[in-house]
Amino acid sequence: METKNRTWSGETMISTQKIWQNIRRFWWVFVICLAAYGVITGRDILNTMRADQDALSRDTYQASTLLYFPHRDNEEGLAFVVLCESELVVNDVNERLRANGYASYGAGDTFAIDWVGNSFGLTLTGEGRERMLCMAQAFGDSILKSALDVMGREGSVLNEASVLPCVVRSNGAVTVYEDASQRNASFSLRDFMTWRRLMVLCAMIFIGVAFIFVAILLDRKVRTREELEAVLHASCIGVIRKKKPESRALALAVLSRLCRREETETVAIVSAGACGELESLAGEVGKTVKVVTGMNLAGQAAAVTACEEAGSVVLVVCANQDTIDEVCQAVRTLELFGTPFLGYLLIQ
């Protein structure tokens, strides 16, 4: 009888049965991961919706104006862009806003520049229609005045400042309307499934899969006949499947025939681990040959007595219950006694 003992540091067979069994054992890990994702995403979505609803209550407007500024090269154009939001310009704008009774340019206000050729489009968002109109005019006038003073080059305003109602969403997106009565915060699938939330979902799935993968690697229980054959090179007398009662009668018939052929007067049926069907198997086989039983040969000394009293030994292995280590330990024990080994029965 040849055996090959594979310890944890050695090869571990991964079968479909082993994967399925561990998924059934640890399905709750996926439930916890999905629940955690639901809690995290739910709070994020709720906060987003509250922020968007709060944005609807604000009297927000977008102001835009277009400036003309001729420049010789790209470097001079970049200098003009920097000047547009410089402290010199902002201070001048704030003086004009305060002089008209409006709040200064600051928190809640945004400023952007769209630069194409000699045209510089200014786009501002903030609260109050008249305030935003004043702010757009102040920026345009102050920028051109500062450009003339600092850069010595004259520009002009290409159009009058226009103001439209808008809503600034929580993600920074600005929705502009023709009429303030059109303001609304409609939500789409893209609003809910953002890249950040998608990455959180992928992370939760990865954690669940990684946990199952580690559980599979640590799983030492016998799941399939192939896993047993990888460590136990011996004859398989039969495979008893609980869902197929006919397989039990066939395996026991083969065992009885084998005992008669080997002229075995007494056969020991011992379990590698803790098999609950050992006594019933022994009762059925005992109709044709004397049987002694031994429970858990890998861990109980009482099972050794059964091997000493018998002329041959049959090892019973229970799938999804006995471990590879228990099977190897049982086989090593049998080798020490030198009792003839007829083979093994696998119960699935």
Side-chain angles (χ1 to χ4, degrees):
M1 174 177 53
E2 180 186 359
T3 62
K4 178 167 64 172
N5 183 24
R6 293 182 179 177
T7 61
W8 166 239
S9 59
E11 181 181 351
T12 299
M13 291 190 65
I14 299 179
S15 62
T16 304
Q17 184 71 12
K18 179 171 288 189
I19 294 173
W20 174 243
Q21 288 290 337
N22 282 280
I23 290 176
R24 290 181 63 184
R25 287 172 61 201
F26 299 108
W27 59 268
W28 50 269
V29 174
F30 288 103
V31 174
I32 291 176
C33 289
L34 291 177
Y37 170 74
V39 171
I40 295 172
T41 305
R43 292 182 62 182
D44 190 23
I45 291 175
L46 186 60
N47 291 335
T48 299
M49 293 178 66
R50 286 175 176 173
D52 288 342
Q53 291 296 331
D54 184 56
L56 287 174
S57 64
R58 299 194 187 103
D59 190 29
T60 311
Y61 288 84
Q62 183 181 86
S64 59
T65 187
L66 189 64
L67 304 182
Y68 171 78
F69 181 77
H71 51 281
R72 292 184 294 265
D73 51 34
N74 192 63
E75 184 176 348
E76 194 173 59
L78 288 173
F80 180 78
V81 171
V82 173
L83 179 66
C84 288
E85 205 175 6
S86 64
E87 186 176 353
L88 178 65
V89 171
V90 171
N91 289 338
D92 191 28
V93 169
N94 284 335
E95 286 184 13
R96 187 165 170 180
L97 288 173
R98 285 193 292 268
N100 286 274
Y102 301 123
S104 301
Y105 170 78
D109 299 320
T110 62
F111 179 93
I113 304 174
D114 183 21
W115 172 24
V116 179
N118 290 325
S119 299
F120 295 81
L122 310 184
T123 304
L124 302 98
T125 58
E127 292 190 25
R129 185 184 187 284
E130 299 302 325
R131 173 176 175 270
M132 293 309 302
L133 180 61
C134 179
M135 185 184 297
Q137 294 171 345
F139 262 107
D141 296 340
S142 299
I143 288 170
L144 296 178
K145 178 177 179 297
S146 299
L148 184 61
D149 294 342
V150 175
M151 305 175 68
R153 191 172 295 275
E154 187 174 359
S156 61
V157 177
L158 292 179
N159 64 342
E160 293 293 331
S162 60
V163 180
L164 290 173
C166 68
V167 171
V168 182
R169 304 289 291 270
S170 57
N171 59 2
V174 179
T175 305
V176 182
Y177 303 96
E178 292 294 331
D179 192 319
S181 62
Q182 297 174 336
R183 282 196 181 101
N184 62 78
S186 58
F187 297 96
S188 64
L189 181 61
R190 293 180 60 184
D191 294 317
F192 292 110
M193 189 51 68
T194 62
W195 277 109
R196 183 180 63 179
R197 293 166 189 164
L198 185 60
M199 292 303 294
V200 173
L201 176 61
C202 292
M204 291 302 174
I205 294 175
F206 175 79
I207 291 172
V209 172
F211 186 94
I212 296 297
F213 180 72
V214 172
I216 291 171
L217 293 181
L218 294 175
D219 185 6
R220 300 292 291 165
K221 289 186 178 180
V222 178
R223 302 294 182 184
T224 62
R225 180 177 174 179
E226 290 73 22
E227 291 177 303
L228 189 58
E229 290 175 346
V231 295
L232 179 58
H233 292 181
S235 300
C236 179
I237 297 173
V239 179
I240 300 175
R241 293 181 172 85
K242 296 179 180 179
K243 295 183 178 180
K244 295 183 178 180
E246 63 273 12
S247 65
R248 184 186 188 92
L250 176 61
L252 295 180
V254 172
L255 176 57
S256 298
R257 177 65 177 171
L258 182 62
C259 291
R260 290 197 299 270
R261 191 185 69 182
E262 297 292 333
E263 298 181 352
T264 300
E265 295 181 0
T266 305
V267 62
I269 299 181
V270 296
S271 64
C275 178
E277 297 191 32
L278 199 62
E279 294 298 332
S280 61
L281 288 174
E284 296 178 57
V285 179
K287 298 175 182 178
T288 56
V289 65
K290 184 180 179 181
V291 176
V292 291
T293 60
M295 180 69 73
N296 197 350
L297 183 60
Q300 297 181 9
V304 174
T305 305
C307 298
E308 293 176 333
E309 296 176 355
S312 299
V313 177
V314 173
L315 184 65
V316 177
V317 180
C318 290
N320 303 322
Q321 183 173 329
D322 298 340
T323 65
I324 294 293
D325 301 317
E326 287 177 332
V327 173
C328 293
Q329 180 61 45
V331 171
R332 283 195 295 268
T333 302
L334 292 176
E335 288 177 337
L336 291 175
F337 285 99
T339 307
F341 184 64
L342 295 181
Y344 66 90
L345 280 171
L346 177 61
I347 300 179
Q348 288 185 324

